[in-house]
Amino acid sequence: MKYVIVTNNPLVRDVYPQDCEFIEGTIVNVLTRCRDLIHKGYVLMSHPLAGNVKPDCSPFKSVLLKESKGTVDFNSVVIIEGCLLKVKEIIEKEGINYIENEKVLNDLAYLDKELIKEVIETFRE
């Protein structure tokens, strides 16, 4: 079974270079790529909004998907479409409030890396 991490987080890219598809862009770009992969037959293995980190406060997002040989997974489609709508709604309503402090950004990148690490370890066992 092939897994892929779709991320815009350089820490995740550096830790999982073989399993990563790095996206130069925003959370919306990451979720859009996940949606595209799901429509090609991938299945969500992590929830795109896991960790309860508001998408208008952290610029980083990592999502684990697995390749499936079957048909399009309806649950994954519903989840990713809902997440995309929610993120766009939050960003439109709240704007982008990304903190420019380098230490805080490093902490947010670390948090995202640890969240995806937990998911990866769960599925590798």
Side-chain angles (χ1 to χ4, degrees):
M1 209 174 311
K2 181 181 176 194
Y3 292 92
V4 64
I5 305 162
V6 180
T7 187
N8 64 347
N9 185 343
L11 285 180
V12 173
R13 177 195 59 207
D14 294 347
V15 173
Y16 304 101
Q18 303 301 321
D19 303 318
C20 206
E21 182 174 327
F22 188 74
I23 305 294
E24 291 278 350
T26 66
I27 291 174
V28 172
N29 299 121
V30 170
L31 297 180
T32 300
R33 179 61 181 148
C34 290
R35 182 199 59 203
D36 294 347
L37 289 172
I38 290 166
H39 284 283
K40 290 180 179 179
Y42 281 74
V43 177
L44 281 173
M45 301 306 290
S46 66
H47 195 284
L49 298 181
N52 203 26
V53 179
K54 288 181 64 178
D56 61 324
C57 295
S58 175
F60 304 110
K61 180 58 60 189
S62 300
V63 181
L64 181 67
L65 299 104
K66 78 172 180 178
E67 190 174 32
S68 174
K69 301 294 182 199
T71 60
V72 174
D73 181 65
F74 182 72
N75 283 337
S76 293
V77 171
V78 170
I79 291 169
I80 198 68
E81 293 291 352
C83 290
L84 262 167
L85 285 173
K86 186 68 174 169
V87 166
K88 288 176 181 178
E89 176 184 295
I90 289 170
I91 290 172
E92 187 176 295
K93 182 179 177 185
E94 305 289 330
I96 301 286
N97 299 312
Y98 297 153
I99 298 167
E100 295 183 21
N101 180 303
E102 189 173 335
K103 176 163 178 14
V104 174
L105 285 173
N106 289 340
D107 289 346
L108 291 167
Y110 178 81
L111 175 62
D112 178 68
K113 179 185 70 78
E114 289 300 304
L115 287 169
I116 202 67
K117 175 184 167 189
E118 290 297 318
V119 175
I120 292 166
E121 288 176 0
T122 299
F123 288 105
R124 284 193 175 161
E125 291 178 352

